[in-house]
Amino acid sequence: MTKKLIAGGCSFTFGHELSDDQEGKIPSQKSWAYGLKPQDHEYICTAYPGSGNSGIARRVFNAVANNKDVGCVIVMWSFLSRYDWAMPRHKELEGTRWASISPWDTNAGNEEAFRELADSETQQEVWKIRKETFADTGVKDFAESIYKYAANQYHETYLSWKSIIWLQNILEKKKIPFMFTLADNGLFYN
């Protein structure tokens, strides 16, 4: 049986905007994670653009639980201000249930999103579709409430560390080698 390298993270691990990006449909073979794949391993990319750390941990856990002969796990943890939330079922949500929410999904953050994505027509189109989907599914209203009333650095840091340590404990218990890195070092300063 072929060993598997499982990679988790956000768009940095998925490989958005790299030269082989196919509008976010297939993980890049030019990403940092794919570059670490041993030749004799199968590559399983669980990365999902816009993911928060709890969503990253959930996806990696599912891949580990559903695959035999996992040779290694590599994860790039994401930005603290992103949340992964189980929503009422809707066909447009990940697995009909999950939404990765970021400050960009709010009225205040939407302008920043378009400014940051100004140089990428593809990313602007992806963001437009995301905005419409979140409006249709109720995620947008929920995001507005979360970031207005509940989001704060303390809670975001706590949830991120909780996700990281949870996944680390599972991998250690299963004796699966792993490597963790960060897209943002806020965990060490907040």
Side-chain angles (χ1 to χ4, degrees), residues 104-168:
W104 281 10
D105 295 311
T106 65
N107 289 333
N110 199 24
E111 287 181 31
E112 179 186 349
F114 276 102
R115 252 191 336 271
E116 292 293 324
L117 303 174
D119 294 335
S120 174
E121 192 173 310
T122 300
Q123 290 299 323
Q124 285 182 348
E125 185 59 30
V126 167
W127 198 259
K128 180 181 171 205
I129 292 167
R130 175 186 173 97
K131 186 177 170 185
E132 291 167 359
T133 299
F134 276 20
D136 291 345
T137 59
V139 173
K140 183 181 182 329
D141 292 338
F142 182 71
E144 292 288 349
S145 294
I146 285 287
Y147 289 102
K148 182 175 181 180
Y149 298 111
N152 63 70
Q153 285 184 335
Y154 178 80
H155 190 70
E156 293 164 355
T157 301
Y158 167 76
L159 287 179
S160 289
W161 276 118
K162 185 175 154 184
S163 297
I164 292 167
I165 292 167
W166 174 72
L167 185 60
Q168 177 181 317

Side-chain angles (χ1 to χ4, degrees), residues 3 21 31 49 68-69 91-92 95 105 151 164 170 172 182:
K3 286 196 178 274
D21 182 12
S31 72
K68 294 182 183 194
D69 211 18
K91 64 182 169 105
E92 296 298 321
D105 295 311
I164 292 167
I170 289 167
E172 286 175 348
L182 302 163

Side-chain angles (χ1 to χ4, degrees), residues 5-36:
L5 170 70
I6 296 174
C10 62
S11 60
F12 293 119
T13 302
F14 190 86
H16 264 303
E17 299 186 39
L18 296 177
S19 62
D20 65 340
D21 182 12
Q22 297 177 19
E23 298 180 8
K25 292 183 175 91
I26 300 169
S28 173
Q29 292 188 3
K30 295 185 177 185
S31 72
W32 71 272
Y34 191 86
L36 295 176

Side-chain angles (χ1 to χ4, degrees), residues 52-78:
N53 292 326
S54 59
I56 292 168
R58 176 180 54 80
R59 286 184 205 92
V60 171
F61 170 77
N62 286 340
V64 167
N66 291 311
N67 283 283
K68 294 182 183 194
D69 211 18
V70 177
C72 184
V73 168
I74 55 176
V75 176
M76 179 181 279
W77 299 103
S78 190

